[in-house]
Structures are given as structure tokens and as C-alpha cells.
Amino acid sequence: MGMKGKIALGAVVGIAVIGAVSANAGSDGKDAGSGSDKDSSASAEHNSAKKDSGGAKSADEKEAAFAGDGEYQVGSDVKPGTYRTTGNTDGLCYWERAKDAKGEMDSLLANDNVTGTSYVTIKATDKLFKSTGCEDWEAVDPKAKGTRASSMDGDGGMFKVGTDITPGTYRSTGNADDSCYWERTKDAGQGLNSIIANNNVKGSTVVTISPSDAYFKTTGCGDWKKA
């Protein structure tokens, strides 16, 4: 599938699409978490785990569930569940959920181009998951607790509400053009029905992230700080 820019349709509750070739579609269940509250930036939480000088894995590094490049049959190559990729810096990471392996538009359930971090829930009814140019994917424990931040990297990608960031009202400034895109979602299915609200923004913007939101996505924006 081709890689296109996102468009927000509607100022309050809109629809995000990735062009005519790779359009988001489908709907999934919610996957939200909770954690201890701490005033810090969420950008550091989404860096790739690093190895020490001897090549050994650091204590907080997780085993990869599957590689960031490949096509995987759901159920045999990859188990249904929620996964995360982080540390994607060039915007060339592309993933896709598909209902079959025909490679046609009708096969597509949901997709995204990623800068920073992305979460995605692969359902048991999915048949194929594709990933190109992404960092390795790790399984997400729905009961895991994180360090909840009150500020976010404006180009950090996707943040889990209650685990990566605290709910509340956030402000982003310094958006020189409308390439700043934000999205509130109810789950990590990444389909059209996952979206609660979204927008493309020029100039300063304010958005309230509710405790009931599952994820917040931000691309090409100035950094966000809790008001």
C-alpha cells in the first residue's frame, strides 16, 4: 500500500485517512492502562531500549515479539494482541492489518505511517499483519504500569493514556502550518471507528484528553504541555 499524509475531516469528531490508496478502516476493542503519576516528559518513554557497551540487554529492554520488517500470518506467525513499536525517527515505518493476503484495497482493515511510537491491536479475526521499515514490535501487557507524563513530544507518535501520559488539557504551540495532526482514540485498532476526535492544526491548539480515552496520537506538532 502507498504511504500518504493524514487528513482530518471535521473540527471536533473527524475521520483520519491516509490518502486514497491506504485508507484507515475497521474497528476494534479498547486497551487502556493505568500507572503511577509523575511530572515528566513522555518522549523519553518512547525511545528504543538500548544495549550496554558489551552488547548485553539493559534491564528494562523487552524481547521483540516480531521484527519490524515482514508479513505475518495471524495465529501462526503472530498471536492476536496489542503490540508497540518505538524509536521510529524517519516516518518510513508503515504497518497494515489485513483480512486476507490478496493485497487488494478490500483486504485492508487499518494501517498507518509512523514517526515515534505506534500501538496496534491485532485481532484474532485478522489474517495478515504487514510491517515495513519499523523498529521491532514488542507485546504490550495490558496490566503494565508506566511513568505517566504531563508533557509530550509533539512528533512522538502514540501515547497510552493512563500509562504513558496523564489525562487532562494539553496545549501545543509553534505549529507553523497545518501539518500538526492530533487524534484521540478509544482503542488501538487504528480503524475509522477507533477515532473519538482529531484535527489538523495551524498555530496554537488546546485539547482535553479524557480518562476514558485509550490513546492520544500526535504528529508534526509542537511539544504538548499540560495546562
Side-chain angles (χ1 to χ4, degrees):
M1 296 295 178
M3 295 188 286
K4 305 292 182 181
K6 289 191 174 178
I7 301 171
L9 304 180
V12 180
V13 180
I15 298 172
V17 299
I18 308 178
V21 176
S22 52
N24 280 355
S27 61
D28 300 283
K30 182 177 180 180
D31 176 29
S34 61
S36 59
D37 193 0
K38 188 175 181 181
D39 185 9
S40 59
S41 174
S43 59
E45 298 298 319
H46 288 153
N47 290 332
S48 297
K50 292 181 173 59
K51 297 180 180 179
D52 62 25
S53 57
K57 292 181 179 179
S58 60
D60 60 351
E61 183 177 0
K62 296 181 180 179
E63 292 286 347
F66 53 93
D69 285 294
E71 298 186 359
Y72 306 96
Q73 289 184 297
V74 178
S76 56
D77 299 327
V78 60
K79 296 178 181 179
T82 300
Y83 297 88
R84 184 179 85 157
T85 178
T86 190
N88 303 287
T89 59
D90 54 11
L92 297 179
C93 166
Y94 172 80
W95 64 258
E96 179 180 309
R97 291 173 47 224
K99 63 181 181 182
D100 56 47
K102 294 179 180 179
E104 300 173 356
M105 272 298 298
D106 287 345
S107 302
L108 188 64
L109 294 170
N111 66 351
D112 203 7
N113 296 319
V114 178
T115 297
T117 293
S118 183
Y119 290 85
V120 62
T121 296
I122 301 172
K123 298 185 69 176
T125 51
D126 295 354
K127 299 301 182 183
L128 195 70
F129 183 78
K130 301 180 182 180
S131 179
T132 304
C134 302
E135 295 295 325
D136 291 349
W137 293 83
E138 63 185 36
V140 174
D141 181 356
K143 297 181 180 179
K145 295 182 178 180
T147 302
R148 300 188 299 176
S150 57
S151 61
M152 292 175 280
D153 180 348
D155 204 32
M158 201 167 175
F159 299 92
K160 193 173 183 181
V161 179
T163 300
D164 300 328
I165 56 170
T166 60
T169 299
Y170 289 79
R171 180 181 177 87
S172 172
T173 60
N175 304 300
D177 52 40
D178 60 1
S179 63
C180 168
Y181 174 82
W182 64 259
E183 179 179 301
R184 295 169 49 221
T185 71
K186 63 183 180 181
D187 56 50
Q190 301 255 31
L192 290 178
N193 291 337
S194 299
I195 299 172
I196 299 170
N198 67 348
N199 208 359
N200 288 323
V201 178
K202 183 176 181 179
S204 63
T205 184
V206 177
V207 61
T208 296
I209 301 170
S210 300
S212 58
D213 294 353
Y215 298 89
F216 182 75
K217 187 184 296 184
T218 173
T219 304
C221 302
D223 290 349
W224 296 84
K225 293 184 179 180
K226 194 173 181 182

